[in-house]
Amino acid sequence: MAEETNHIQSKFISDRFDLQDISNLSLFLYESLLTVIAHGNAGQSIAAANLYPLHEKDALGKIVANDELINASNTSGKLYIHDQKFTLVPGVLFNPAHSALYLNFATKINAQEDEVIYSKISDNIQVLGVADKALLDMLDTSLPELEISHGAAHVLDFFLNHTKDWLNQEIFIHTSPNSMYIAGFKEGELMVFNRFIIHEEQALLRYLFTVLQQLAFDQSHCKISVFGNLDGVYSSVENLRKYFKNIHQTLPTQNTTYQRGAENLKNTQLLEAYWLQQQS
């Protein structure tokens, strides 16, 4: 079972967890949540995870300084930053030297504060984002070999690995606290991919209808697959079925394993509890 410590931390730990056995870490940073996952050295199995709500302005600094997983002897890992500053670039057009230029077409970046990051997703897509330089400096002491990617790369990797045997009109949604990623596929080809901040169900519906209209999808027949907890975006499958007939809450395909006792991380319904990004 997850344990709450002073209402700021949920822990998921295997029966035989040992800090010395950590091989690498996976960190997932949302606007209001940090997930720190430790993988055992016998492979990519999940041995422990700490979840931190980020309600206070200085919470992240305190977590980085005190989290036992981040400050273990392990010095490698990957950080996925989930925020609104990202864009996709076709692989054939991508030139790393022009990364900031690509991003500036989609979102405003500050060269003094933001470091441009990019990740390859298949041969066709590069996901570009930014990392706050102050955050990177904060993490550098404990995790000097940390690899950085935008969280969209993790989600899109999952979506693109599930494009077989689809209908002609498919929508994928991944929810997390107060936000969602949405992807639209037409005949198996990615047409739309975006992330939205959501603080009420009406906003969720507005974005869904906008994407359907943009793709000229049929509201009654388009298949919508939801991954994650809809409570985090103030809705439910029952409510959404009033508007969309072919909508389903779906359990993510799992490509990671757990050490015994840590499996309850899956109860969070976060994608990182199920999916390790594939090596491109």
Side-chain angles (χ1 to χ4, degrees):
M1 294 289 292
E3 298 176 359
E4 293 292 331
T5 305
N6 297 327
H7 305 288
I8 61 169
Q9 180 178 6
S10 299
K11 290 189 174 184
F12 305 87
I13 305 176
S14 71
D15 299 340
R16 300 180 180 179
F17 176 68
D18 187 333
L19 284 173
Q20 302 301 315
D21 292 336
I22 297 175
S23 63
N24 59 88
L25 300 179
S26 297
L27 289 76
F28 298 83
L29 178 61
Y30 299 87
E31 287 88 352
S32 60
L33 178 71
L34 173 68
T35 302
V36 183
I37 297 176
H39 302 281
N41 63 10
Q44 291 297 313
S45 61
I46 293 176
N50 293 337
L51 271 66
Y52 296 92
L54 302 175
H55 299 311
E56 301 173 5
K57 187 176 182 180
D58 60 347
L60 190 57
K62 293 178 180 178
I63 293 166
V64 171
N66 295 290
D67 179 77
E68 61 180 351
L69 303 181
I70 292 175
N71 290 284
S73 56
N74 159 71
T75 58
S76 67
K78 188 163 186 175
L79 167 66
Y80 294 91
I81 300 173
H82 292 277
D83 63 21
Q84 296 303 95
K85 293 184 177 181
F86 80 97
T87 192
L88 305 186
V89 176
V92 294
L93 300 178
F94 180 67
N95 182 336
H98 299 154
S99 295
L101 180 62
Y102 301 136
L103 262 174
N104 271 313
F105 282 117
T107 184
K108 186 176 181 180
I109 61 174
N110 185 328
Q112 300 300 314
E113 299 176 358
D114 298 326
E115 180 171 316
V116 177
I117 54 178
Y118 53 87
S119 301
K120 182 180 179 182
I121 303 296
S122 77
D123 292 331
N124 302 319
I125 300 173
Q126 290 278 348
V127 179
L128 280 69
V130 298
D132 181 75
K133 291 181 179 179
L135 170 64
L136 299 184
D137 289 342
M138 187 190 307
L139 287 164
D140 189 58
T141 300
S142 300
L143 296 167
E145 299 177 20
L146 192 66
E147 191 180 342
I148 315 292
S149 177
H150 194 278
H154 184 251
V155 177
L156 186 57
D157 175 71
F158 174 79
F159 287 169
L160 292 175
N161 274 274
H162 295 76
T163 56
K164 296 180 180 178
D165 303 320
W166 278 12
L167 302 180
N168 290 338
Q169 299 181 3
E170 294 261 2
I171 297 289
F172 268 26
I173 295 172
H174 165 54
T175 65
S176 53
N178 297 314
S179 65
M180 75 166 177
Y181 287 95
I182 185 168
F185 292 85
K186 189 171 185 178
E187 297 180 355
E189 182 178 352
L190 179 66
M191 306 300 291
V192 169
F193 182 73
N194 212 335
R195 183 177 190 263
F196 298 104
I197 300 297
I198 297 171
H199 292 293
E200 59 178 1
E201 187 179 47
Q202 287 303 311
L204 171 66
L205 290 169
R206 184 168 64 251
Y207 293 132
L208 267 170
F209 279 119
T210 297
V211 170
L212 287 173
Q213 183 178 25
Q214 181 179 352
L215 297 175
F217 280 2
D218 187 315
Q219 177 181 340
S220 299
H221 296 96
C222 170
K223 182 180 178 182
I224 302 176
S225 300
V226 178
F227 301 90
N229 190 345
L230 281 166
D231 289 346
V233 289
Y234 310 95
S235 190
S236 67
V237 171
E238 290 74 22
N239 284 355
L240 293 178
R241 283 196 178 126
K242 299 173 185 176
Y243 309 94
F244 312 103
K245 303 302 182 184
N246 194 10
I247 186 168
H248 309 273
Q249 183 119 36
T250 306
L251 191 67
T253 302
Q254 183 176 328
N255 74 345
T256 186
T257 58
Y258 280 83
Q259 294 183 14
R260 191 177 66 182
E263 303 93 338
N264 284 319
L265 176 61
K266 290 186 284 188
N267 293 340
T268 65
Q269 299 185 45
L270 292 168
L271 188 58
E272 51 261 37
Y274 292 87
W275 189 256
L276 287 174
Q277 186 180 342
Q278 305 298 291
Q279 297 296 320
S280 57

